[in-house]
Amino acid sequence: MKDIAKRVFDIEIESLTHVAGLLDDAFDDAITTILGTSGKTIVTGIGKSGLIGKKIAATLASTGTPSFYMHPAEAFHGDLGMISEHDVVILISYSGESDEVLKLIPFLKWHNNIIIGITGNPASTIAKNSHHHLNVKITREACPLELAPTSSTTAMLVMGDALAIALMEARNFKHEDFARFHPGGSLGRKLLTKVKDLMRTDNLPYIDKDATFTDLLLRMSAGRLGMVMVGSADGIEGIVTDGDLRRALIKNSDTGTLKITDIMTTSPIIITGDELINNAELLMIEKKITTVLVGDADRRAIEGVYQIYNQ
């Protein structure tokens, strides 16, 4: 079965490489057209092409290009009213001859809409009636019967992704912009939320540097953070993590001789509360730590603690 899977990957990669070589000025013209419109970008297609169209519309909408998917059959039962004269319409059909999509062309021409066609046949009806045609002609389908859309739908999907990414870069679309369109998910939280909004501030575990090893264990257990800070909120000298404890015990099992100052890390990472969660978590992943202190790094004063996996 793995051999079959590899063959599918190889065939679809081959087709994508071929389609990439077909890119021409029509792609640039399509981007210029979408950027220049004051309307929306409407995507339509039927069957598997329609499913791809829904994904393309969703990707465009989430990356700064107002867009939605319109079912070509529903269009003739009232949905044509959703199209304004300023909208750009993307017609998707690998054959370029899908009947439901072809029926839209007379209305779109009468309505003066710019048409972008995505097909695998530059000589097709849709291609000939498009202002800009994007050719997604593949070398072959991955389906051994050459019947089920496989490589062709992949090529359409990637062409849609290419449009979305090109538009993103042309608009200088940033993390903050993306987050505004995804406020309800974890991505929006990371890109919009600051560390001070999620850090823990209650019952933070501090301990004196001269405390006993037993006191250290008790304070670490009570704090439930897997670490203690040596000093006070006004200024710490270091931290002791459960990892520091394990390493110390491996080297010296006599806890009576272990000193906190010998175990602690003297240069913990301290970030400000105004740091974005996304930036903080990227730093923590880079440093391979799960806990970061929040406060004033110069004074080593602590306001809170943020842990990457406890949110």
Side-chain angles (χ1 to χ4, degrees):
M1 292 297 106
K2 287 188 292 186
D3 291 341
I4 295 175
K6 186 177 184 304
R7 184 183 72 226
V8 172
F9 274 88
D10 289 342
I11 292 173
E12 298 210 13
I13 290 170
E14 169 193 293
S15 287
L16 287 179
T17 300
H18 176 72
V19 172
L22 299 177
L23 286 168
D24 55 20
D25 291 342
F27 185 88
D28 294 336
D29 294 338
I31 295 297
T32 300
T33 295
I34 295 174
L35 288 172
T37 184
S38 59
K40 304 172 293 298
T41 299
I42 301 172
V43 186
T44 188
I46 195 74
K48 303 296 189 300
S49 296
L51 296 175
I52 296 299
K54 289 180 180 180
K55 193 277 180 185
I56 291 174
T59 301
L60 288 170
S62 69
T63 53
T65 299
S67 179
F68 65 86
Y69 170 79
M70 180 183 69
H71 195 289
E74 295 294 338
F76 288 95
H77 296 275
D79 283 3
L80 285 176
M82 297 189 294
I83 304 177
S84 77
E85 61 182 1
H86 302 295
D87 294 336
V88 175
V89 181
I90 299 178
L91 305 181
I92 306 177
S93 167
Y94 186 72
S95 69
E97 302 293 347
S98 299
D99 187 58
E100 296 88 345
V101 179
L102 291 179
K103 289 179 179 178
L104 295 173
I105 293 175
F107 171 83
L108 297 176
K109 286 194 169 185
W110 171 80
H111 211 232
N112 293 318
N113 294 108
I114 299 295
I115 299 173
I116 298 173
I118 299 180
T119 84
N121 183 5
S124 64
T125 304
I126 289 177
K128 289 179 178 178
N129 284 276
S130 297
H131 296 85
H132 313 299
H133 176 248
L134 305 180
N135 188 0
V136 290
K137 175 67 176 178
I138 61 168
T139 53
R140 53 179 169 156
E141 296 285 10
C143 168
L145 302 177
E146 286 284 332
L147 295 176
T150 46
S151 302
S152 56
T153 46
T154 300
M156 293 175 184
L157 182 62
V158 173
M159 184 64 76
D161 287 342
L163 287 170
I165 300 306
L167 289 164
M168 280 182 68
E169 295 198 12
R171 289 193 170 99
N172 195 27
F173 196 80
K174 299 183 181 299
H175 287 84
E176 295 78 9
D177 301 313
F178 193 90
R180 279 198 293 272
F181 296 136
H182 302 76
S186 61
L187 183 58
R189 176 186 68 84
K190 288 182 179 181
L191 293 175
L192 293 178
T193 306
K194 295 182 178 180
V195 171
K196 65 183 179 184
D197 298 323
L198 297 178
M199 68 183 184
R200 175 173 156 181
T201 59
D202 62 301
N203 192 33
L204 296 181
Y206 295 100
I207 197 168
D208 186 80
K209 65 180 180 180
D210 295 322
T212 65
F213 188 81
T214 299
D215 290 336
L216 175 63
L217 289 177
L218 292 174
R219 190 71 191 98
M220 184 176 291
S221 297
R224 297 181 180 277
L225 286 173
M227 51 80 70
V228 295
M229 292 173 282
V230 183
S232 68
D234 294 329
I236 63 167
E237 297 180 50
I239 64 170
V240 180
T241 68
D242 53 5
D244 293 329
L245 281 181
R246 288 193 298 271
R247 286 186 288 272
L249 288 172
I250 290 173
K251 292 180 180 179
N252 185 0
S253 60
D254 184 2
T255 59
T257 62
L258 290 175
K259 296 181 180 179
I260 291 178
T261 52
D262 295 331
I263 302 173
M264 70 181 185
T265 298
T266 58
S267 56
I269 296 174
I270 303 175
I271 63 175
T272 69
D274 287 326
E275 188 67 75
L276 292 173
I277 288 292
N278 186 60
N279 294 338
E281 294 191 354
L282 288 175
L283 174 65
M284 295 163 77
I285 292 171
E286 176 189 346
K287 299 296 184 182
K288 298 181 180 180
I289 58 175
T290 60
T291 302
V292 68
L293 309 183
V294 185
D296 186 326
D298 293 330
R299 296 190 297 113
R300 297 170 72 89
I302 304 303
E303 301 171 8
V305 174
Y306 177 72
Q307 288 190 312
I308 192 170
Y309 297 122
N310 286 349
Q311 303 305 316

